[in-house]
Every structure is written in structure tokens, then in C-alpha cells.
Amino acid sequence: MATQDKLYEGKAKILYATDEPDILLTVFKDDATAFNAQKRGTIAGKGEINCRMSAHLFRRLEAAGVPTHFIDCPQPHTMRVQAVRIVPIEVVVRNRAAGSLCKQTGLPLGLALEPPLVEFYYKNDALGDPLLTLDRVCVMQLATAEQVAELRQMALTINQILTAFFDQCGITLVDFKLEFGRVGDRLILADEISPDTCRLWDQAESDPDRRVMDKDRFRQDLGQVEAAYQRVLDRVLSQNT
Ligand code: TMP
């Protein structure tokens, strides 16, 4: 499993080619950014935690019938993945109001969203990942209306599986971001699922700061970032059912 060329370095991960053309290596970094990289820092151990947590959740999703790019983890912070053509749309699912939704709409933090809200953002750092409408997606030829419906349906299915799982861990899945890729016509879940890409609230805590177990601790300078990530991983790994 020789690593070859670095194909791409993102804010949280580096992608390498391997000697097998359909397989890539993702190395998860400890680097953390927020607000489109205006805030930068390091979260010690994050790379390994996010890699192990993503691997665990991808395995669970696969077992529940959701196709993912995950193959295996040759090292604790390294994941072998299937090469896909990334869909340039970030899909956000929200079960409760938080983050940019509260900022942009005035909805109160924590408001339950029933049914869950599904949003689409243009994956483009230079433009600041703007919120899309269905009409914009079509005009920009990012996807067809049919493909958007498929993304929404897959995201809602994943939300059901993950919400139930995190509930078993005593964690509320507030919202999360997914990225998808295609192999031929097949849509496949890609990227990662981790405290970087999810909002996770500890159900044992009612205090709005103390309950936060995700990257909001870094975004909002709440402290104890590493400990919160580790607690999430420990709870996720301790669930065997
Ligand atoms: P938002 O409330 O800032 O729009 O974030 C919604 C969810 O998406 C939250 O769980 C964090 C995640 N997210 C990412 O994974 N990457 C990003 O660049 C942003 C802005 C959010």
C-alpha cells in the first residue's frame, strides 16, 4: 500500500493517490479551521478521532444499506476510500435550529425541526459555500432536480440511522453536513462524519455551553475541545448494538 502523489490538501484532510487507480488514501489532520478558514488552530488528536469515528459510522451506515466510499483504516488517522467524482453540493440536515440557521432566520437555538430541514450549499471556498436554491442548482448545472431529490432522500435516510444511533449514545444529533460522490451513476456517501461536521449535544447536560461536544467548542472558544471530541468517540465506540 505505497502512498503516491498528494492529490489535494484541504483544511482538515489530505488526499493521496495509491497504486490502485480506484482507491485513494485520506489522511485526517489535527488542523482546525472555522468561518471559512478565518479562524485557525489545532485540536490535538483530532485527526485520529475523526478518522476512527467516521470509520465506525460508515460501517454502520453500510450495514444499514447506505453505500459509502469507506474501505478500511490502514492507520489510525488514515482511511482508504473508493475514488468518486465529488458532487459539489454540501448537504446539511438539521433536526434542531442552531448555527447559521439561527443567525439567518432568527429561529431560537434548539427549536425542534419536524420534519428535519434539508439544505444545500455550494461547495466552493472562494465563494464562502453559499446556500443554494433548487433553481440555482439547476441554473448552475450542479445537478438535476431528480438528482437533488435523490440527495435529499439519502440524507434523510442517513439522518434516521444516525439520529437513532447517537440517541443510544446519549447524544442529540442537532445537525450535520454530508458530501456525496458518484461512481458511474451510483450516488455514494463520501467525506467524513465527525464532531467537525456534526453538532452533537450531550443529553446529560442542559447548560447550553456544557452540552456542546463538537467543533462549536472551537468555533466559540468554549474550551475543552480535545476532551469533548474524545468523549464522543468513546461513546460511539462503546455502542455495540
Ligand atoms: P452551519 O449552521 O454553520 O450552517 O452548519 C451546519 C452543519 O454543517 C454543522 O453541523 C456544521 C457543519 N459544517 C461543516 O461540516 N462544514 C462547514 O464548512 C460548515 C459551515 C458547517
Side-chain angles (χ1 to χ4, degrees), residues 92 94 98-100 121 129 175-177 196-199 219:
V92 169
R94 300 180 189 271
S100 68
Y121 292 83
D129 295 347
D175 59 30
F176 58 98
K177 184 261 302 181
D196 271 13
T197 63
C198 302
R199 283 198 175 88
R219 294 188 188 100

Side-chain angles (χ1 to χ4, degrees), residues 14-205:
I14 307 174
L15 205 58
Y16 293 94
T18 69
D19 40 22
E20 294 165 88
D22 297 341
I23 297 179
L24 304 179
L25 273 187
T26 303
V27 176
F28 287 68
K29 303 194 287 185
D30 288 356
D31 299 348
T33 63
F35 315 118
N36 204 14
Q38 289 177 66
K39 179 180 171 84
R40 288 174 183 275
T42 301
I43 301 173
K46 174 172 89 76
E48 184 172 333
I49 289 173
N50 284 3
C51 184
R52 293 180 67 192
M53 178 162 158
S54 295
H56 187 92
L57 296 175
F58 282 146
R59 273 193 208 101
R60 277 186 172 267
L61 288 166
E62 287 273 359
V66 176
T68 79
H69 70 160
F70 173 74
I71 300 172
D72 58 19
C73 292
Q75 285 167 358
H77 63 294
T78 303
M79 187 181 284
R80 288 200 316 145
V81 300
Q82 198 180 346
V84 298
R85 285 175 287 122
I86 283 287
V87 176
I89 297 175
E90 299 190 351
V91 184
V92 169
V93 181
R94 300 180 189 271
N95 295 305
R96 289 181 177 273
S100 68
L101 180 66
C102 294
K103 214 170 287 166
Q104 292 170 12
T105 64
L107 287 172
L109 179 67
L111 179 77
L113 303 167
E114 190 58 56
L117 181 61
V118 182
E119 295 178 332
F120 302 98
Y121 292 83
Y122 184 30
K123 184 175 161 57
N124 184 318
D125 283 342
L127 296 176
D129 295 347
L131 181 64
L132 292 167
T133 63
L134 178 56
D135 286 358
R136 284 187 184 188
V137 170
C138 293
V139 161
M140 294 161 75
Q141 298 190 320
L142 300 177
T144 63
E146 209 172 65
Q147 288 169 337
V148 171
E150 192 188 4
L151 285 172
R152 174 190 296 277
Q153 196 44 57
M154 256 178 97
L156 286 171
T157 299
I158 292 165
N159 182 43
Q160 275 183 356
I161 297 164
L162 293 183
T163 296
F165 173 68
F166 277 113
D167 232 17
Q168 287 176 34
C169 301
I171 294 172
T172 298
L173 179 59
V174 173
D175 59 30
F176 58 98
K177 184 261 302 181
L178 300 173
E179 295 186 26
F180 293 88
R182 287 191 184 277
V183 175
D185 277 349
R186 231 161 68 94
L187 198 58
I188 287 178
L189 180 62
D191 196 46
E192 66 178 282
I193 307 173
S194 72
D196 271 13
T197 63
C198 302
R199 283 198 175 88
L200 303 165
W201 290 353
D202 189 347
Q203 292 173 355
E205 297 280 357

